[in-house]
């Protein structure tokens, strides 16, 4: 079964453009959960360009009260700064069900690549161990392109298991671009290869980035065993036209149609 976790970062972007409290990130998350979403995802960044530390605390309370999952994404190696205690400290404070590690930098508009598992992974292994001591399931953001698919077990996705991760999250941006261009065959084959290799190594598989109502069903049909998709940008954009609850319901119907 594939679960839907809704990323509400874009709600915070809209709020921050004017200041104040509206639109309310927690109310948006509550609406998604009422519509049937399995959980909520947020990716707090050190520059607080969207969700803030206080948002994370509030969403942690909401998800805890509702008995659903909070998926907290971030770069564990980004240093703390005023208003941002650091990803590890946030996870220690709110104990999300899942911590998804992403190797992004401040200059990136959005996450655009996964971890490279070649070289020394000791720092990542230490981070994963700390997060698991908090009770978090740990997922690592990974590429699902031809280059990643061609790497050997000694330097590829299997090493996510070696550092103690429970899951990977396939970076689906290239797939979404290929789908929009009219031919996603190659991108789907690469994603399928990575997913199967991860599963063979004992890892669960999540997916996210630029997934939408247009391309989600095809992805899930071709890539087996995806446990969770986290979707934000497209879902919030579609909700501007059709409403947040109906849009979440549409995604759930799409997921059900592939089962």
């Amino acid at each position: 079964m594939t679960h839907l976790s809704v990323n509400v970062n874009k709600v915070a972007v809209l709020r921050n453009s004017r200041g104040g409290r509206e639109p309310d990130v927690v109310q948006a998350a509550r609406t998604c959960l009422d519509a049937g979403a399995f959980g909520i995802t947020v990716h707090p960044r050190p520059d607080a360009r969207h969700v803030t530390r206080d948002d994370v605390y509030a969403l942690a309370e909401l998800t805890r009260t509702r008995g659903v999952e909070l998926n907290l994404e971030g770069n564990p190696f980004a240093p703390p700064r005023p208003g941002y205690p650091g990803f590890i400290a946030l996870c220690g404070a709110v104990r999300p069900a899942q911590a998804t590690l992403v190797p992004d930098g401040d200059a990136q508009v959005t996450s655009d690549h996964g971890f490279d598992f070649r070289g020394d992974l000791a720092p990542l292994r230490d981070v994963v161990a700390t997060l698991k001591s908090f009770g978090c399931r740990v997922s690592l953001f990974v590429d699902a392109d031809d280059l990643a698919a061609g790497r050997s077990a000694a330097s590829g996705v299997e090493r996510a298991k070696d550092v103690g991760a429970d899951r990977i999250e396939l970076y689906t941006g290239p797939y979404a671009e290929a789908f929009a261009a009219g031919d996603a065959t190659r991108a789907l084959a690469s994603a399928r290869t990575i997913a199967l290799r991860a599963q063979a190594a004992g890892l669960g598989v999540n997916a996210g980035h630029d997934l939408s109502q247009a391309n989600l069903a095809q992805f899930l049909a071709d890539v087996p065993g995806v446990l969770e998709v986290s979707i934000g940008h497209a879902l919030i954009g579609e909700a501007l036209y059709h409403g947040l609850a109906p849009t979440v319901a549409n995604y759930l119907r799409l997921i059900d149609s592939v089962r």
Side-chain angles (χ1 to χ4, degrees):
M1 178 183 295
T2 303
H3 293 302
L4 172 67
S5 185
V6 178
N7 188 320
V8 294
N9 278 2
K10 286 300 186 294
V11 178
V13 170
L14 183 58
R15 176 200 62 193
N16 295 352
S17 69
R18 280 285 297 269
R21 297 183 178 181
E22 296 295 333
D24 188 325
V25 175
V26 175
Q27 181 59 43
R30 187 178 294 114
T31 299
C32 294
L33 296 176
D34 288 343
F38 176 78
I40 298 297
T41 292
V42 285
H43 186 151
R45 293 177 183 269
D47 60 9
R49 72 181 74 163
H50 32 63
V51 290
T52 65
R53 173 191 57 192
D54 290 344
D55 291 329
V56 172
Y57 292 155
L59 290 167
E61 178 62 25
L62 171 67
T63 53
R64 187 162 40 246
T65 300
R66 296 291 292 267
V68 298
E69 291 200 352
L70 176 64
N71 174 37
L72 200 59
E73 299 181 341
N75 183 348
F77 303 114
R81 63 184 67 176
Y84 180 76
F87 184 77
I88 302 300
L90 268 178
C91 288
V94 304
R95 308 293 172 112
Q98 180 170 264
T100 299
L101 308 187
V102 184
D104 58 0
D106 283 2
Q108 290 178 231
V109 174
T110 186
S111 304
D112 62 10
H113 65 280
F115 283 98
D116 186 340
F117 294 109
R118 294 171 292 189
D120 181 16
L121 298 180
L124 192 55
R125 187 175 290 109
D126 292 343
V127 163
V128 170
T130 298
L131 291 169
K132 293 184 79 167
S133 75
F134 298 153
C136 303
R137 180 173 70 240
V138 179
S139 179
L140 303 183
F141 201 56
V142 304
D143 294 317
D145 57 12
D146 289 338
L147 176 61
R151 291 177 186 152
S152 70
S155 60
V157 69
E158 292 85 355
R159 296 200 75 191
K161 185 69 173 180
D162 294 341
V163 301
D166 303 290
R167 296 186 185 182
I168 60 164
E169 180 176 328
L170 296 172
Y171 168 48
T172 51
Y175 159 70
E177 291 179 7
F179 184 94
D183 185 4
T185 304
R186 187 172 177 177
L188 283 167
S190 294
R192 178 182 175 87
T193 295
I194 294 297
L196 291 173
R197 282 175 51 178
Q199 290 158 354
L203 293 158
V205 175
N206 298 339
H209 205 89
D210 290 340
L211 293 173
S212 68
Q213 289 184 63
N215 62 38
L216 177 60
Q218 184 66 66
F219 184 84
L220 294 179
D222 281 47
V223 181
V226 175
L227 299 174
E228 176 184 293
V229 289
S230 56
I231 305 178
H233 182 79
L235 190 152
I236 299 302
E238 292 158 351
L240 293 176
Y241 307 113
H242 306 294
L244 187 53
T247 300
V248 171
N250 286 344
Y251 274 95
L252 294 174
R253 280 192 289 271
L254 278 171
I255 291 170
D256 283 340
S257 73
V258 182
R259 291 177 183 168

